[in-house]
Amino acid sequence: MSKEVTLETLTSLAKRRGFVFQASEIYGGLAGFWDYGPYGVELANNLKQLWWRAIVFENREIFGVDGAIIQNPRLWKASGHVAGFTDPMVEDTKNGKRYRADHLAGIDSTDLEVLRELLKGKKSPDGNPLSEPRVFNMMMKTWVGPIESDDSVAYLRPETAGSIFTNFENVRETTRSKIPFGIAQIGKAFRNEISPRDFIFRVREFEQMEMQYFIHPDDQKTQYERWREFAYTFLTDRLGIAAENLQWHEHGADERAHYAAAAHDIYYKFPQGFKELWGTHNRTDFDLKSHMAESKKDLTYFDEATRERFMPNVIESSVGLSRILLATLLDAYTEEKVGDETRVVLKFAPAVAPVKVAVLPLSKKPELSVLSDKVYTQLVRSTGYNIEFDDTQSIGKRYRRQDEIGTPYCVTIDFESLNDGCVTVRERDSMDQKR
RNA sequence: GCGGGUGUCAUAUAAUGGUUAUUAUCCCAGUUUUCCAAACUGGUGACGUGGGUUCGAUUCCCUCCACCCGCACCA
């Protein structure tokens, strides 16, 4: 398995094969935004579906929601994002390096006036004068309603978790759930990253797959371990990602998010090194407590059995779709030597492969083309798979194309044997398969 | 955002201040073929954007945009 692929190579491969295109490419693109092509969207859908099945369908106490992207701005005040996503920064006026103003001042405050006073006359770590502190807001802003005014400001959600917490009571009530139970969501989120980087690794518009699991405070440790385990086995067993490309990383106190008491990330061996893929965080009661304070609605839980009222704690399992898709692509990437040529094959696990079956004709008869449409429809309906059906003449070329995207099963149809829309299929040896 | 690098068909590339911008793969058409990344013939397709210098710019200069590498940032 060749792992020496660079992001640059993968970017052009992804484009050539129709996985990922630059957003608004004909206008020169826009940094941090990417579009999925025909194969990319199938791959993404497979990943989402596998995750959803594993987490929602296979756990009877976990339910799905699909929240709005724009929520009441107070939600982001309560979640800490208005404060936490708004960083005061200063620049070294000589070399342009940028620093967090509060870090340089050595205080835990984002008050611009306070910071300005403290930093007066201070030099940068390189000994140069500093600029005035300025605010960088990571949340994307918009206006609700036709008038742009301060009253109508809203934000595109910087994470999907918000609407899970605000719907905690709604879901508990309608599903008649008892603690522990979970709420899962797949959806888009937006962040004004200062510098989007590394293909689709760090982007400004992204899709999160995450689940918040509401538990009794005493169960933090066991549930934390449970969801760490879930993430790892999902990657290895269901997506077929090689274990040697995965690594655990525990967040130190200084790198944890504002809400987390403990955090373990699974890192994947991306070309730029081991980087974050899937986070399991202990959010404690931070979110429900904050939303209870801001909304003045009671979000505590009463356990009928133990006659105990408590604030549920939360274990979060969160993974970015584009990152998991990138990891899947990288893990499938294989170079093979054929003669003195090197060819690229994407060896996907059958479950994630964008095209499950490639149907290739044994011979071409123009009068059979209507029949082949019928056969195609039949096959797709009966299998539920995305099938590539090919009745063009360039048979040899098509084989190459099918194989390049790692279609797990290839089927050849003998058109001569077609009779009343029935088809005799002769199975070819499947592609190299993982798992 | 800073520093460095790179932008030529879909992809990988060659060359050039001046006639029709090279090659391979892909794609399209035809011929052939009971195939397992076949062959032959023909064809479509490119100088990132805007400006400047110049008789003439894909080439030289500048702006912007995008991507890659390093730094910083990453609730």
Side-chain angles (χ1 to χ4, degrees):
Chain A
M1 193 172 342
S2 171
K3 280 291 142 211
E4 303 315 312
V5 57
T6 63
L7 275 185
E8 219 166 349
T9 308
L10 197 82
T11 306
S12 33
L13 177 78
K15 182 184 175 184
R16 192 171 62 242
R17 288 296 154 213
F19 283 92
V20 180
F21 306 127
Q22 215 174 1
S24 44
E25 189 189 75
I26 63 168
Y27 292 109
L30 187 61
F33 298 91
W34 300 85
D35 295 340
Y36 290 123
Y39 286 139
V41 67
E42 297 300 336
L43 180 55
N45 282 343
N46 288 344
L47 291 169
K48 286 192 270 190
Q49 198 179 52
L50 284 168
W51 182 88
W52 191 262
R53 278 198 206 135
I55 211 145
V56 178
F57 291 0
E58 294 178 21
N59 295 283
R60 53 185 299 197
E61 83 285 16
I62 297 180
F63 306 92
V65 294
D66 186 4
I69 284 170
I70 294 176
Q71 302 275 343
N72 188 311
R74 287 173 66 199
L75 192 164
W76 309 118
K77 192 178 159 213
S79 69
H81 286 88
V82 170
F85 259 41
T86 313
D87 298 328
M89 309 283 285
V90 286
E91 267 175 33
D92 184 317
T93 52
K94 281 259 162 56
N95 58 23
K97 283 188 183 173
R98 183 173 288 169
Y99 303 93
R100 284 276 296 266
D102 48 337
H103 290 181
L104 276 191
I107 58 162
D108 189 19
S109 161
T110 54
D111 189 309
L112 280 185
E113 287 304 318
V114 174
L115 288 167
R116 193 169 293 139
E117 281 305 308
L118 278 171
L119 291 172
K120 208 166 251 173
K122 270 214 173 190
K123 301 279 189 199
S124 79
D126 293 331
N128 299 320
L130 290 168
S131 71
E132 288 277 293
R134 283 189 298 165
V135 169
F136 281 64
N137 195 333
M138 298 275 282
M139 282 199 287
M140 295 218 190
K141 226 182 212 175
T142 187
W143 289 269
V144 173
I147 311 281
E148 290 186 15
S149 75
D150 288 347
D151 293 341
S152 61
V153 163
Y155 301 95
L156 306 191
R157 60 182 174 189
E159 65 168 25
T160 49
S163 51
I164 290 183
F165 296 124
T166 55
N167 279 312
F168 166 72
E169 266 300 293
N170 284 338
V171 173
R172 188 194 63 75
E173 181 94 9
T174 50
T175 59
R176 299 168 302 280
S177 287
K178 293 182 173 56
I179 294 269
F181 74 97
I183 305 178
Q185 176 167 210
I186 298 177
K188 293 252 172 135
F190 303 80
R191 291 178 195 179
N192 255 325
E193 293 287 350
I194 294 170
S195 57
R197 267 298 164 85
D198 303 320
F199 191 30
I200 52 172
F201 181 82
R202 173 166 298 132
V203 288
R204 290 182 166 134
E205 172 177 345
F206 55 100
E207 203 156 3
Q208 287 185 307
M209 306 194 287
E210 56 146 30
M211 191 276 301
Q212 309 292 340
Y213 203 68
F214 299 92
I215 57 171
H216 189 279
D218 293 346
D219 295 338
Q220 289 181 59
K221 204 172 160 54
T222 47
Q223 290 294 345
Y224 188 65
E225 293 307 316
R226 174 187 169 195
W227 293 108
R228 278 182 59 189
E229 173 72 17
F230 171 84
Y232 194 88
T233 49
F234 183 87
L235 291 171
T236 54
D237 293 9
R238 309 229 184 186
L239 303 189
I241 289 184
E244 68 257 32
N245 293 328
L246 298 174
Q247 204 175 71
W248 280 108
H249 176 83
E250 183 174 7
H251 283 207
D254 52 333
E255 55 181 323
R256 246 175 261 147
H258 59 266
Y259 49 71
H264 273 83
D265 284 340
I266 296 174
Y267 277 25
Y268 179 79
K269 192 180 176 187
F270 292 102
Q272 71 272 27
F274 275 97
K275 296 275 177 173
E276 177 184 349
L277 178 62
W278 193 320
T280 306
H281 294 189
N282 180 358
R283 297 182 75 130
T284 67
D285 60 359
F286 175 89
D287 302 275
L288 287 183
K289 215 162 66 183
S290 305
H291 288 302
M292 186 162 144
E294 176 70 25
S295 68
K296 311 275 191 296
K297 300 282 190 301
D298 184 11
L299 299 177
T300 57
Y301 173 81
F302 184 71
D303 190 321
E304 305 278 355
T306 61
R307 313 297 297 167
E308 182 191 9
R309 182 170 288 281
F310 61 89
M311 182 66 76
N313 277 36
V314 173
I315 304 296
E316 170 186 75
S317 182
S318 172
V319 59
L321 177 66
S322 69
R323 287 189 183 181
I324 214 171
L325 188 139
L326 182 57
T328 307
L329 269 179
L330 285 164
D331 227 67
Y333 184 93
T334 313
E335 287 179 358
E336 289 180 355
K337 283 252 182 263
V338 178
D340 28 316
E341 296 244 321
T342 303
R343 70 188 194 193
V344 174
V345 181
L346 295 174
K347 294 187 180 178
F348 292 111
V352 301
V355 177
K356 308 289 189 212
V357 183
V359 180
L360 305 152
L362 271 178
S363 64
K364 164 79 176 171
K365 288 271 192 279
E367 65 270 23
L368 291 175
S369 61
V370 177
L371 203 50
S372 69
D373 283 345
K374 266 192 195 166
V375 173
Y376 170 78
T377 310
Q378 254 185 14
L379 278 173
V380 171
R381 281 191 188 157
S382 61
T383 60
Y385 287 149
N386 183 35
I387 289 173
E388 280 205 345
F389 196 94
D390 203 323
D391 51 11
T392 64
Q393 295 192 358
S394 318
I395 300 171
K397 290 180 180 175
R398 289 297 171 144
Y399 269 120
R400 167 155 61 191
R401 187 158 155 241
Q402 300 304 344
D403 290 356
E404 262 191 8
I405 65 143
T407 308
Y409 309 105
C410 282
V411 174
T412 307
I413 291 186
D414 185 354
F415 275 103
E416 310 288 347
S417 69
L418 287 172
N419 188 16
D420 294 332
C422 293
V423 59
T424 314
V425 295
R426 193 150 56 87
E427 289 228 16
R428 294 182 57 239
D429 287 342
S430 309
M431 276 289 302
D432 285 306
Q433 279 179 46
K434 292 184 69 172
R435 311 193 57 79

